[in-house]
C-alpha cells in the first residue's frame, strides 16, 4: 500500500513565541524530519490567511481571541491574528526539512471561511484538492503529524478516515492547543472514526 506522510502546519506562529503558540510545538521538528526519510511521499500543509481573515478576533467588534461566533457554516473559534500569508509567522519552522516535500498545500486563504482540515474547508464541502492528489498517486495509507493535534491534525484525520484512507496519527509528533478539553474530545472523535492513535 502506498503511503504518505502529511505534516500539518509546522509554522512559526504555532511554535513558542509565535502568535498562536502551541506549547512545545517546536519539539516535534527533529522527529518529523527523521520520519520523512522513511515514507515515500511527503506533503506539507501551511495555514495561510489574508490579514483580514474572518477567523481573527480582530475582525469582530467586541470579541476576544478564543470567543466562539456563529459563521454561516457553523460555530467558529476566534483566534489571534496568525499565519498571515507572506509573514514570518506563516513560514515553516526554520529547522523543518522542506526539500523532501512532494507537495505543499495551503489552506484558509479565503477570507470568509476557515480551514482546519487539509482536505476540506470548515464548511465541510469545499475541497482543498489534497484528496485528488493522493488518489491520483494511488496513496491509501496516511501518517499525520504536526500542529495542532486538537484542531488541524484532528480535523484532517477525521476527514481522511471518512474519505476511506487508512489513517495513523503519531501522537508523539503532534502537540495540542487544548482549549477547554479540546484534546480529549478530538482524540475520542478520532478513535471513533477508526483513526489509529499511536
Ligand atoms: C490551527 C487554529 C487556527 C491549527 C490553524 O493549525 O491547528 N488552529 N488555525
Ligand atoms: Zn488558522
Amino acid at each position: 500500500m502506498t503511503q504518505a506522510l502529511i505534516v500539518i502546519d509546522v509554522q512559526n506562529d504555532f511554535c513558542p513565541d509565535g502568535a498562536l503558540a502551541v506549547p512545545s510545538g517546536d519539539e516535534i521538528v527533529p522527529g518529523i524530519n527523521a520520519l520523512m526519510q522513511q515514507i515515500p511521499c511527503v506533503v506539507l500543509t501551511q495555514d495561510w490567511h489574508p490579514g483580514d481573515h474572518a477567523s481573527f478576533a480582530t475582525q469582530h467588534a467586541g470579541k476576544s481571541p478564543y470567543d466562539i461566533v456563529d459563521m454561516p457554516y457553523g460555530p467558529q473559534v476566534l483566534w489571534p491574528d496568525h499565519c498571515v500569508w507572506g509573514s514570518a509567522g506563516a513560514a515553516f519552522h526554520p529547522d523543518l526539512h522542506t526539500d523532501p516535500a512532494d507537495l505543499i498545500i495551503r489552506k484558509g486563504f479565503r477570507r470568509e471561511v476557515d480551514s482546519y482540515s487539509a482536505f476540506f474547508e470548515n464548511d465541510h464541502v469545499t475541497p482543498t484538492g489534497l484528496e485528488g492528489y493522493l488518489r491520483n498517486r494511488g496513496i491509501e495509507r496516511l501518517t499525520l503529524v504536526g500542529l495542532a493535534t486538537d484542531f488541524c491534525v484532528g480535523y484532517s484525520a477525521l476527514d481522511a478516515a471518512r474519505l476511506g484512507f487508512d489513517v495513523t496519527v503519531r501522537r508523539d509528533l503532534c502537540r495540542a492547543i487544548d482549549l477547554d478539553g479540546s484534546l480529549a474530545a478530538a482524540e475520542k472523535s478520532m478513535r471513533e472514526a477508526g483513526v489509529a492513535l499511536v
Side-chain angles (χ1 to χ4, degrees):
M1 239 195 312
T2 317
Q3 194 186 352
L5 173 64
I6 315 290
V7 181
I8 304 287
D9 300 359
V10 181
Q11 294 165 262
N12 289 323
D13 270 343
F14 296 123
C15 290
D17 299 326
L20 179 37
V22 180
S24 309
D26 56 339
E27 279 179 14
I28 62 177
V29 172
I32 293 173
N33 287 337
L35 190 56
M36 286 180 188
Q37 303 308 311
Q38 293 164 32
I39 298 184
C41 171
V42 175
V43 174
L44 308 180
T45 73
Q46 213 169 10
D47 210 40
W48 198 251
H49 300 309
D52 61 351
H53 194 251
S55 78
F56 296 170
T58 51
Q59 298 299 308
H60 301 262
K63 297 289 179 190
S64 307
Y66 313 108
D67 285 350
I68 296 174
V69 294
D70 282 315
M71 297 286 206
Y73 52 83
Q76 168 74 48
V77 179
L78 297 179
W79 303 105
D81 292 15
H82 65 279
C83 296
V84 172
W85 54 33
S87 70
F92 291 111
H93 185 284
D95 297 336
L96 184 75
H97 292 175
T98 57
D99 290 350
D102 295 351
L103 176 74
I104 296 174
I105 191 143
R106 289 172 170 168
K107 60 187 181 61
F109 47 74
R110 294 201 297 141
R111 195 196 75 82
E112 65 283 3
V113 48
D114 206 1
S115 186
Y116 294 150
S117 166
F119 292 92
F120 293 96
E121 298 187 12
N122 284 12
D123 62 5
H124 303 296
V125 293
T126 308
T128 62
L130 180 57
E131 179 195 3
Y133 177 84
L134 296 171
R135 289 210 197 283
N136 251 321
R137 290 195 52 179
I139 288 163
E140 297 174 343
R141 213 168 107 214
L142 306 179
T143 298
L144 270 64
V145 299
L147 306 170
T149 325
D150 42 346
F151 286 92
C152 291
V153 176
Y155 283 95
S156 299
L158 290 176
D159 280 343
R162 185 167 52 83
L163 291 169
F165 292 97
D166 177 327
V167 187
T168 298
V169 170
R170 281 278 301 262
R171 298 169 77 218
D172 59 321
L173 297 179
C174 296
R175 291 293 183 272
I177 296 174
D178 205 11
L179 211 63
D180 269 335
S182 56
L183 176 59
E187 291 196 332
K188 181 167 183 281
S189 308
M190 286 192 269
R191 285 205 175 88
E192 286 169 359
V195 173
L197 293 176
V198 301

